[in-house]
Amino acid sequence: MQVTTRTYWLEHAWLGTHVEPGVVLSIDGGRVTAVRTGADGPPPGAEILRGLTLPGLANAHSHAFHRALRSTVQVGSGTFWTWREVMYATADKLTPDGYHALARAVYAEMALAGITAVGEFHYLHHAPGGTRYADPNAMGEALVAAAAEAGIRITLLDTAYLSSGFGEAPDTHQLRFSDGTAEAWAERCSLLKERDHARIGAAVHSVRAVPAAQLATVARWAEERRAPLHVHLSEQTAENDACQAAHGCTPTRLLADHGVLGRRTTGVHNTHLTDEDIALLGGTGTGTCMCPTTERDLADGIGPAPALQAAGSPLSLGSDSHAVIDLFEEARAMELNERLRTRSRGHWTAAALLRAASADGHAALGWQEAGTIEAGALADLTTIALDSVRTAGPLPRLGAETAVFAATAADVRHTIVGGRHVVRDGAHTLVPDVPQALARAIEALRA
């Protein structure tokens, strides 16, 4: 993914606190080596990025195969639990080759949206019925290869998913997900190897999917490797009620009691929390990944993001089920959801929302050296147009506000990963026809 020395001239650049015109970046070995401001024009030999250049975006929560459900699940009504049955039917059809084709196209769609790193919450481990593949990590390896071919970084969050509910064995669909025990899960995912573009993390699917006595095994595996650990947390009130019935406490308290919370841990959704839950998450530095588009698509509710951040929980963003893939929309939705809930405006600045979509998202995925435009950082960038029908008009110095509150993924003109153009002038350089690749991969699941 890394390239030789290059120079880029950025017409406008978001440097974390303000928009700076005329910025020259020197890049070597995939990292930024120097940032020079005040360059009225491009120096000789520099590649030109017109518009507003931001740090590359981090999609901190993805289920790649859910992309096949887009629009299909909008027919009729129901709840998260009825949606889940449709999701299971899709999961049943995936093979390593089919998953590779689909994920490659999905990750290419992410690159077109300015995403340079993805956290793949991966629990589809085995063949239907739970039969192991010859390579026990065939499905995970398919995802790692797909990210490389689409030109983005990946943190494979290998997920422990051992039961269908508190004290219940996996159902027919979930046999593909289960390794039987947390020890067997740890043995399998210890075989995964990191690469230049790929890091390996862990995940607890949820407190209902990993027995309490086995939570510490997953937490210990992540701690020994200083790896990210993610967990679906209190997405649904039914999960909270079932946890109270089984253990006499909330899911957050259960995770705290078994050593799961901490600064390398991220709770995904964190929607239905008590005041004590918020204090536990913030006090331990456990992160929160909000996925507003999915949360409203599945009628989950609006999580207490301002209270979590105020308590000390860093915020990141994810596209989760990929009803859309657009981190500008996710950032905007977090603020606008809160405006609807409180009937007041301005809960986060545009700068804070961009940080959630970039630096804090990368940190949640174990890429602390990404998400900023500064010397030493990974040369991962996304450039949006400032002259589209959505973005034309505001002064360039309002670029952060334009990006968060007006732009969409369709405004991304360039995506650069490790100093290499992955998207140039709105076209993917590695996957020639992303819409056709998506259509073919999804159609194969219907066959």
Side-chain angles (χ1 to χ4, degrees), residues 247-258:
H247 297 289
C249 64
T250 67
T252 301
R253 169 51 69 184
L254 188 68
L255 294 175
D257 289 348
H258 290 274

Side-chain angles (χ1 to χ4, degrees), residues 296-384:
R296 62 191 180 190
D297 181 53
L298 298 181
D300 288 341
I302 300 171
L308 283 159
Q309 187 173 51
S313 178
L315 300 180
S316 57
L317 296 165
S319 63
D320 194 357
S321 67
H322 312 314
V324 298
I325 294 176
D326 187 339
L327 283 198
F328 300 116
E329 173 61 23
E330 302 298 343
R332 179 162 56 243
M334 190 162 68
E335 167 67 24
L336 297 186
N337 283 354
E338 195 62 22
R339 292 182 186 185
L340 283 174
R341 191 181 69 81
T342 63
R343 291 178 289 175
S344 64
R345 305 174 77 237
H347 301 276
W348 292 276
T349 63
L353 293 168
L354 284 178
R355 181 174 179 83
S358 55
D360 287 345
H362 281 100
L365 298 178
W367 295 95
Q368 286 84 355
E369 67 273 50
T372 59
I373 301 177
E374 60 185 16
L378 290 171
D380 296 357
L381 311 167
T382 184
T383 302
I384 64 167

Side-chain angles (χ1 to χ4, degrees), residues 4-306:
T4 56
T5 302
R6 282 188 177 166
T7 302
Y8 284 98
W9 179 76
L10 318 181
E11 184 180 28
H12 301 281
W14 172 251
L15 298 184
T17 57
H18 65 287
V19 174
E20 186 75 32
V23 175
V24 176
L25 295 187
S26 300
I27 294 171
D28 190 15
R31 290 182 181 261
V32 177
T33 56
V35 179
R36 179 165 64 88
T37 59
D40 293 337
E47 295 198 49
I48 297 171
L49 302 181
R50 294 207 177 273
L52 174 68
T53 298
L54 309 164
L57 306 179
N59 187 352
H61 189 65
S62 163
H63 301 291
F65 77 91
H66 290 190
R67 175 61 179 82
L69 305 176
R70 185 181 293 180
S71 298
T72 302
V73 291
Q74 302 302 340
V75 178
S77 60
T79 66
F80 167 87
W81 306 102
T82 53
W83 170 90
R84 193 174 70 159
E85 293 305 312
V86 181
M87 180 269 288
Y88 283 159
T90 299
D92 287 344
K93 299 174 183 176
L94 284 163
T95 65
D97 287 345
Y99 206 3
H100 172 267
L102 177 59
R104 175 178 176 269
V106 174
Y107 297 154
E109 182 182 357
M110 290 185 193
L112 289 170
I115 293 163
T116 56
V118 61
E120 184 61 41
F121 199 101
H122 168 56
Y123 54 80
L124 190 55
H125 302 306
H126 309 298
T131 302
R132 273 47 173 173
Y133 291 107
D135 175 357
N137 286 305
M139 296 294 268
E141 292 291 348
L143 293 165
V144 170
E149 292 174 29
I152 70 171
R153 304 183 194 277
I154 185 171
T155 298
L156 188 71
L157 298 161
D158 196 288
T159 304
Y161 194 136
L162 308 173
S163 62
S164 64
F166 296 94
E168 299 178 17
D171 67 22
T172 300
H173 301 294
Q174 295 162 345
L175 290 172
R176 294 199 73 171
F177 311 159
S178 178
D179 290 294
T181 66
E183 289 75 13
W185 165 85
E187 182 179 356
R188 177 186 52 72
C189 62
S190 293
L191 300 174
L192 289 160
K193 304 301 180 187
E194 295 194 341
R195 276 141 272 195
D196 285 347
H197 80 290
R199 292 181 178 171
I200 308 301
V204 170
H205 179 273
S206 55
V207 293
R208 68 179 185 275
V210 177
Q214 300 187 55
L215 289 169
T217 299
V218 182
R220 185 167 55 251
W221 187 95
E223 178 64 26
E224 289 171 352
R225 291 159 179 79
R226 302 187 68 79
L229 174 60
H230 288 215
V231 53
H232 288 137
L233 180 57
S234 290
E235 181 178 6
Q236 290 286 323
T237 55
E239 175 183 287
N240 290 358
D241 294 343
C243 189
Q244 285 283 358
H247 297 289
C249 64
T250 67
T252 301
R253 169 51 69 184
L254 188 68
L255 294 175
D257 289 348
H258 290 274
V260 176
L261 303 185
R263 295 193 179 279
R264 282 191 298 277
T265 300
T266 297
V268 180
H269 304 303
N270 293 0
T271 307
H272 302 285
L273 303 177
T274 66
D275 290 344
E276 182 192 13
D277 292 340
I278 293 169
L280 279 170
L281 293 167
T284 55
T286 301
T288 294
C289 180
M290 304 297 291
C291 306
T293 297
T294 291
E295 288 152 8
R296 62 191 180 190
D297 181 53
L298 298 181
D300 288 341
I302 300 171

